[in-house]
Amino acid sequence: MQQFQVPQYIEVKDKIFGPLTVKQLIYLLGGGGLVLMLYLLKLPTIIFLILGIPIGSFFVALAMLKINEQELDQVLNNAVNHFWNPRLYIWKKEEMDIKNTQKKVLQGLPSAPIPKLSQRKLQDLAWSLDINSKFKR
């Protein structure tokens, strides 16, 4: 029989740029680029700090933060999908006509009478099944 190697640790992403994955590097470069653009706009220092710190922090969190072993971008994606497409499942009990249901069930049964088993016959049947299963290896 031919043996195959089973891949393991498939949840681990490849670290390409030092300790960073490609996705993390893109997030960090994108956030750094936005903060650099704010700096190059020659805004007053207080406005630069008010805008730059949250933007930089958000992109660092996108790159590094995990919540319940899920990356922050996946958590945010799930949250947006949940709020834009809410689903409300309501169970509605339907009234059933018991007489019609019983007629349908009885029509589906075979017309032959069901044999009655005594306690002794049932024990013999169970014993023979046990013996046959043990010796049919």
Side-chain angles (χ1 to χ4, degrees):
M1 175 181 267
Q2 189 176 8
Q3 292 186 349
F4 296 97
Q5 285 186 338
V6 177
Q8 296 178 354
Y9 308 114
I10 57 175
E11 295 88 21
V12 177
K13 299 205 167 94
D14 293 331
K15 308 284 186 185
I16 296 180
F17 300 101
L20 301 174
T21 63
V22 174
K23 190 186 219 182
Q24 289 174 327
L25 182 70
I26 290 171
Y27 282 139
L28 290 176
L29 289 176
L34 284 175
V35 172
L36 180 65
M37 282 181 15
L38 287 176
Y39 178 74
L40 293 177
L41 288 175
K42 307 255 186 216
L43 296 173
T45 306
I46 190 72
I47 294 176
F48 170 72
L49 291 176
I50 289 174
L51 293 176
I53 290 175
I55 290 173
S57 300
F58 176 71
F59 279 94
V60 168
L62 273 178
M64 302 296 175
L65 185 64
K66 285 189 176 185
I67 299 173
N68 290 335
E69 299 299 320
Q70 289 186 0
E71 295 174 356
L72 183 62
D73 61 343
Q74 184 66 38
V75 172
L76 293 175
N77 186 17
N78 292 339
V80 168
N81 285 336
H82 176 74
F83 288 117
W84 279 89
N85 302 320
R87 290 177 178 85
L88 179 63
Y89 297 104
I90 299 175
W91 178 72
K92 293 182 181 178
K93 185 176 180 180
E94 296 178 6
E95 295 295 326
M96 294 180 64
D97 188 12
I98 296 174
K99 292 180 183 177
N100 288 338
T101 306
Q102 286 177 347
K103 287 179 186 175
K104 289 179 185 176
V105 169
L106 291 177
Q107 287 174 355
L109 292 177
S111 60
I114 298 174
K116 295 192 177 200
L117 290 176
S118 67
Q119 184 70 23
R120 181 70 188 151
K121 282 186 178 180
L122 190 61
Q123 287 175 348
D124 289 343
L125 182 61
W127 182 81
S128 66
L129 288 173
D130 287 341
I131 294 298
N132 285 336
S133 67
K134 288 181 184 177
F135 287 114
K136 280 190 178 180
R137 290 186 181 173

